[in-house]
Amino acid sequence: MEETEKLQEIISKSSNIVFFGGAGVSTESGIPDFRSVDGLYHQQWEYPPETILSHTFFMRRPEEFYRFYKAKMLCDTAKPNAAHLKLAELERAGKLKAVITQNIDNLHQMAGSGNVLELHGSVYRNYCMKCCTSYDFAYMKAAEGVPQCEKCGGIIKPDVVLYEESLDSKTLNRSVQAISNAEVLIIGGTSLAVYPAASLIDYFTGEYLVVINRDATPRDKMADLVINAPIGQVFSQIRAE
Ligand code: ZN
């Protein structure tokens, strides 16, 4: 494929690449996309997922929140796909400076990436709302009902950005910095519909903007290279050199 060769050329020339990824990066690992037609949002549940996954709902109905969260969000069977693995390889080769992701599933870290900026947090980090003690994924998975702190009995909250909550400012600042300093920005697996995350792209002033997504995105016109294909398939053909 001609586009993939172009991408290879851009990647081979640069040692200052930043990757910005969305749900599409994880769907190829079997993690459902919240916003896709076949995704969670159209499944049967007592409330719409965007209601359940809101700050207000978490505070008022933690039992119901956790019933949904445990059933749909605490997935530990997914494995990194070709995209995750290639990005980790590019980082080890000194070519990729950061992965900025809207996903909360830890798959980039599992693939071996070191500098991962998680805009929407992670299901792998959790903390007691009273005393701030940290709890891991396994503790949350094993807990019955609403997970409670072993030390003080407080409710444990996932370090995930819920609806109505703002993004972590430190992560946001580091992402802005990475994007503004990048020579190549590869946007993958996102329709760029989620704000404010999507507006981060405006900080890019580098050489090459690449968009890899199955469907067209609003940024395609501005991109130097657009590849409409599944991201794992594209990255599996790329060499980290
Ligand atoms: Zn506590």
Side-chain angles (χ1 to χ4, degrees), residues 128-133 135 149-154:
C128 168
M129 291 176 79
K130 259 193 195 165
C131 75
C132 293
T133 299
Y135 288 92
C149 178
E150 281 178 330
K151 291 183 184 165
C152 78

Side-chain angles (χ1 to χ4, degrees), residues 107-206:
L107 288 177
H108 285 293
Q109 289 91 335
M110 286 180 196
S113 283
N115 192 23
V116 183
L117 302 168
E118 299 170 302
L119 290 172
H120 294 165
S122 172
V123 296
Y124 277 69
R125 292 188 302 269
N126 309 275
Y127 61 91
C128 168
M129 291 176 79
K130 259 193 195 165
C131 75
C132 293
T133 299
S134 296
Y135 288 92
D136 63 10
F137 185 95
Y139 187 89
M140 301 299 278
K141 188 101 184 157
E144 287 200 21
V146 177
Q148 285 179 318
C149 178
E150 281 178 330
K151 291 183 184 165
C152 78
I155 290 180
I156 301 171
K157 188 175 184 292
D159 190 5
V160 166
V161 179
L162 301 176
Y163 286 93
E164 306 162 355
E165 292 179 343
S166 50
L167 305 193
D168 176 63
S169 61
K170 222 187 264 175
T171 309
L172 205 49
N173 289 340
R174 285 177 63 199
S175 302
V176 166
Q177 204 167 17
I179 290 175
S180 11
N181 292 336
E183 181 186 20
V184 175
L185 178 63
I186 303 174
I187 302 170
T190 171
S191 58
L192 293 169
V194 189
Y195 282 84
S199 60
L200 277 171
I201 308 306
D202 294 333
Y203 288 95
F204 180 65
T205 57

